[in-house]
Amino acid sequence: QAGGYDNNDIYAPEAWKIRSTSPDVIVAVIDGGIQSDHPDLINNIWVNELEIPENNIDDDGNGYVDDINGWNFAYNNNFPLPDPHGTHVAGIIGAEGNNSFGVAGVTWDVQLMSLDVFGNESYASDEDIWEGMYYAVDNGAKVINMSLGSVFYGTYQEYVNEDFYTDLGYRNALDYAINNGVTVVIAAGNEELNLDNNWLSLPAVYSELYEGVISVASVANTGDLSYYSNYGSLVTIAAPGGETYQDFAGGIYSTVPFDSYEFFQGTSMASPVVAGAVALMLGENPNL
């Protein structure tokens, strides 16, 4: 596709002959909000069955009122704002498969939990991300995808010395997730940096510290590293994240708001490929 080389993909058709769905697996998307009524996503959106919609009561006592499909941590309400980035990521993980239109996610049937940490802003607070992680674990997610982050120049110890509070917040949240059997998948970032040359991608760097955290770089459809992707020995794995040129669309095609589809590129697109694969594996064996 789009000038790519044969078999530079994730072998999804081969995997789908074994298993194509994971209907009991909840994947939390900590990102911009998901368009929950997108026709290719609507049947795969997580529903909090312990909550009665729109009665303005915290029926399940989890501290969040009317959190039917997730939560907007940026604005502290129950309406994740439909966002192009978050909706695109969600479609890569779990757009409904074999429904005769649109695209297919890595897993065709899954429960996508929308945890909006951006709202209408371009920046998410660390505190909202941590709270989203705790919410995901407490409400049954087994996979968390975080296609977000920033970079820091220096060693990990220098980062800790400079921002002990932020490091502790992430480590506490990750400890909580991993101790509860949750896999956390994080994009490695798009700054074209060699992470072995004194650069850190945060929070992807925690994949070096926790076996339950996976950081993801991006490869193009030629099998080469995508030009924008961070890379290095601290990154766990690579997955297709697209590489778009002016003369053709080489990005990843997925769902976006207004019931539409677009090509995006980035490690943000590679990370949900891995998160979807983890969900598919848990669908096959929930004890993994």
Side-chain angles (χ1 to χ4, degrees), residues 23-27 36-37 41-53 60 62 66-70 110-114 135 139-140:
D24 298 325
V25 178
I26 301 171
V27 180
S36 59
D37 62 351
L41 298 173
I42 188 169
N43 293 326
N44 289 350
I45 297 294
W46 173 72
V47 176
N48 183 357
E49 296 180 349
L50 300 177
E51 198 75 24
I52 299 171
D60 59 2
N62 70 352
D66 290 341
D67 54 323
I68 302 302
N69 302 130
V110 69
Q111 299 181 53
L112 297 165
M113 177 188 286
S114 182
Y135 179 98
N139 290 277

Side-chain angles (χ1 to χ4, degrees), residues 18-238:
I18 302 169
R19 170 171 290 274
S20 60
T21 64
S22 49
D24 298 325
V25 178
I26 301 171
V27 180
V29 180
I30 298 181
D31 206 299
I34 302 170
Q35 184 199 337
S36 59
D37 62 351
H38 191 293
D40 227 358
L41 298 173
I42 188 169
N43 293 326
N44 289 350
I45 297 294
W46 173 72
V47 176
N48 183 357
E49 296 180 349
L50 300 177
E51 198 75 24
I52 299 171
E54 300 180 5
N55 68 350
N56 206 34
I57 297 172
D58 182 14
D59 299 286
D60 59 2
N62 70 352
Y64 301 87
V65 175
D66 290 341
D67 54 323
I68 302 302
N69 302 130
W71 194 255
N72 186 327
F73 295 93
Y75 300 148
N76 196 33
N77 63 38
N78 64 353
F79 183 63
L81 293 177
D83 173 76
H85 191 275
T87 302
H88 198 274
V89 165
I92 294 169
I93 297 168
E96 186 176 355
N98 205 29
N99 60 353
S100 300
F101 66 90
V103 297
V106 176
T107 175
W108 297 357
D109 187 357
V110 69
Q111 299 181 53
L112 297 165
M113 177 188 286
S114 182
L115 304 181
D116 186 351
V117 293
F118 285 94
N120 278 324
E121 307 300 322
S122 60
Y123 174 82
S125 77
D126 295 309
E127 289 83 356
D128 285 345
I129 295 169
W130 305 335
E131 188 178 354
M133 294 171 69
Y134 286 112
Y135 179 98
V137 177
D138 289 341
N139 290 277
K142 285 301 176 185
V143 186
I144 294 173
N145 185 84
M146 297 199 294
S147 290
L148 46 76
S150 59
V151 293
F152 175 87
Y153 183 72
T155 65
Y156 173 69
Q157 190 56 54
E158 287 171 335
Y159 161 65
V160 173
N161 293 343
E162 184 170 314
D163 202 345
F164 176 82
Y165 169 77
T166 302
D167 174 66
L168 181 62
Y170 275 108
R171 286 193 288 111
N172 286 342
L174 289 167
D175 280 331
Y176 188 68
I178 291 159
N179 289 339
N180 283 279
V182 179
T183 301
V184 183
V185 186
I186 310 175
N190 305 325
E191 290 82 14
E192 306 177 42
L193 295 172
N194 181 347
L195 301 178
D196 293 326
N197 287 343
N198 222 32
W199 283 98
L200 302 181
S201 179
L202 301 162
V205 69
Y206 293 102
S207 66
E208 181 74 0
L209 305 178
Y210 295 91
E211 287 190 353
V213 180
I214 300 170
S215 57
V216 188
S218 173
V219 288
N221 58 7
T222 58
D224 296 318
L225 184 77
S226 298
Y227 72 86
Y228 53 77
S229 181
N230 294 339
Y231 61 96
S233 63
L234 299 184
V235 177
T236 312
I237 198 169

